[in-house]
Amino acid sequence: MYLEYCIDFYRMKHDDFPILFELINNNRLVYLDNAATTQKPQAVLDAIVHAYSRWNANVHRGVHYLSQVATQKHEEARKKMAQLIHAQLDEEIIFTKGTTDSLNMLAFSFGEAMIKEGDEIIVSQLEHHSNIVPWQMLCERKKAILKVIPLKEDLSLNIEAFKELLSPSTRLVSIAHVSNLLGIVNPIEEIIRLAHEKGVPVCVDGAQSVPHLKIDVQKLDCDFLAFSAHKMYGPTGLGVLYGKKKWLDKLPPVEGGGEMIEHVSFEKTTYNVLPYKFEAGTPNYIGSYAFGQAIDYVQQIGLECIAKHEDDLIAYMEKQLAEIPHVKIYAAGLFKAGAVSFNVYRADGTLIHPFDVGVLLDRQGVAVRTGHHCAEPLVNHLQVPGTIRASVAMYNTRNDIDTFIIALKRSIMMLD
Ligand code: PMP
């Protein structure tokens, strides 16, 4: 039954991604570094060529034909993003350069308007650096305090401790929906509910969740959501900051320049309406169009179908990893979206350095990520120099996982 479902799925999807036919060190590429970035289907590659070849012109400025086509494509893409996450209004979608840019923009803007000395911002122990450093910088600027939700022994968030951290001084909670290192799905609904009970807004780092889970910002009731196009089959250099209109209306722009203004004079400049107030300069309209095509591609298959397939691959991989002696899987058994992290130990209990395993896997054509995965506080908590992370996307197959496991066993034999 499973095979029946997946054979068509594999054939169709695998063949749509030209890079998957590359040979790496004379081996078929098994690409398991999707949490870092996904590969692009032909439809997205074609969209970029099509846009530059047929209708390239700067948006929002020209009365000429090409400029109007480009503007229309860019705004249609915004609508697709709004539909993807079920935002109430298109103007709640701000185009950015990526999740990092979205979070920095929010930290700056929210910080300017809402944060003063002694205020508190809450993040967690398992955040990506992009959801730590902008808040840390803000706290330094404003003499505010960064509080950290600790982890339980199984590496899930300690929600009881979170309840204690929420105080009358808390101004914002910013939490990853899915941990990029562990792959675990945080109880974001509960976090949002608890924060809202205290009148505190919540920003969700959706870099790893939007590509894998169906997100409905209205149902979640999150106040902000950040994600990147390149982790969801789209181009690099494009991301989204979603914000509830009631918040975005209150927050000041971050960058000044073209697009974001209504009128400029040396005496006083007035700002444009949403979302343009936050989009200074020429936007990445080729990127937004290409990401729109990626979303169409994903929706043609169905996010739920993709998620089912990826969940199967993760469960299949975790089961096989668990059978290899001296492999330690982090957050074993917890529900994961898209990624598994582990380390390998020798029989004498010493750690085989994750880089060494990564290099040997690469020689066999298997691409995984090794290191701290931009989550150093979490890696320090695990008391290791790094982990090996294998992460899947729609085009991966059980065959990929088998190849990876064989290559891993071979690597361990060489390093043990
Ligand atoms: N947050 C998380 C959870 C991530 O996984 C990543 C990317 N690894 C980021 C933020 C940053 O995304 P980007 O590099 O696309 O800005």
Side-chain angles (χ1 to χ4, degrees), residues 25-214:
N25 296 319
N26 275 330
N27 291 285
R28 180 179 75 84
L29 168 63
V30 172
Y31 185 77
L32 295 173
D33 193 17
N34 294 287
T37 199
T38 53
Q39 302 301 347
K40 319 304 168 198
Q42 191 63 49
V44 169
L45 305 177
D46 289 347
I48 294 168
V49 175
H50 170 81
Y52 277 123
S53 324
R54 302 295 301 279
W55 51 259
N56 177 51
N58 210 332
V59 293
H60 299 143
R61 297 176 191 181
V63 290
H64 65 81
Y65 175 80
L66 288 182
S67 176
Q68 293 196 8
V69 174
T71 302
Q72 188 194 335
K73 303 274 188 203
H74 184 56
E75 293 306 327
E76 276 171 10
R78 193 188 306 276
K79 198 175 273 302
K80 283 183 191 175
M81 316 292 143
Q83 283 165 354
L84 176 74
I85 60 169
H86 199 222
Q88 198 182 358
L89 304 164
D90 296 351
E91 69 212 55
E92 293 175 322
I93 301 293
I94 297 161
F95 284 122
T96 65
K97 290 184 284 186
T99 306
T100 305
D101 192 36
S102 300
L103 292 169
N104 275 280
M105 182 186 277
L106 182 65
F108 199 88
S109 182
F110 190 91
E112 278 305 291
M114 304 288 163
I115 302 293
K116 56 179 187 346
E117 186 170 347
D119 284 348
E120 294 170 4
I121 293 164
I122 299 180
V123 296
S124 86
Q125 177 83 43
L126 50 65
E127 300 307 315
H128 188 281
H129 296 163
S130 297
N131 198 27
I132 299 173
V133 185
W135 305 115
Q136 225 169 18
M137 290 161 76
L138 166 62
C139 288
E140 269 173 33
R141 277 198 308 275
K142 295 280 182 155
K143 297 197 175 64
I145 301 151
L146 192 66
K147 300 246 165 154
V148 183
I149 308 173
L151 305 182
K152 294 198 293 196
E153 206 149 306
D154 65 358
L155 301 178
S156 63
L157 291 183
N158 186 334
I159 297 298
E160 290 310 309
F162 172 56
K163 288 182 195 163
E164 305 271 305
L165 286 179
L166 279 167
S167 84
S169 300
T170 311
R171 295 288 164 266
L172 185 79
V173 175
S174 191
I175 297 289
H177 192 172
V178 171
S179 157
N180 69 305
L181 192 148
L182 301 170
I184 56 177
V185 183
N186 289 322
I188 203 72
E189 294 86 350
E190 190 181 3
I191 290 170
I192 293 168
R193 183 178 51 75
L194 290 167
H196 283 181
E197 275 171 17
K198 305 271 173 172
V200 176
V202 178
C203 168
V204 176
D205 174 351
Q208 297 295 343
S209 62
V210 175
H212 296 289
L213 308 170
K214 180 114 197 64

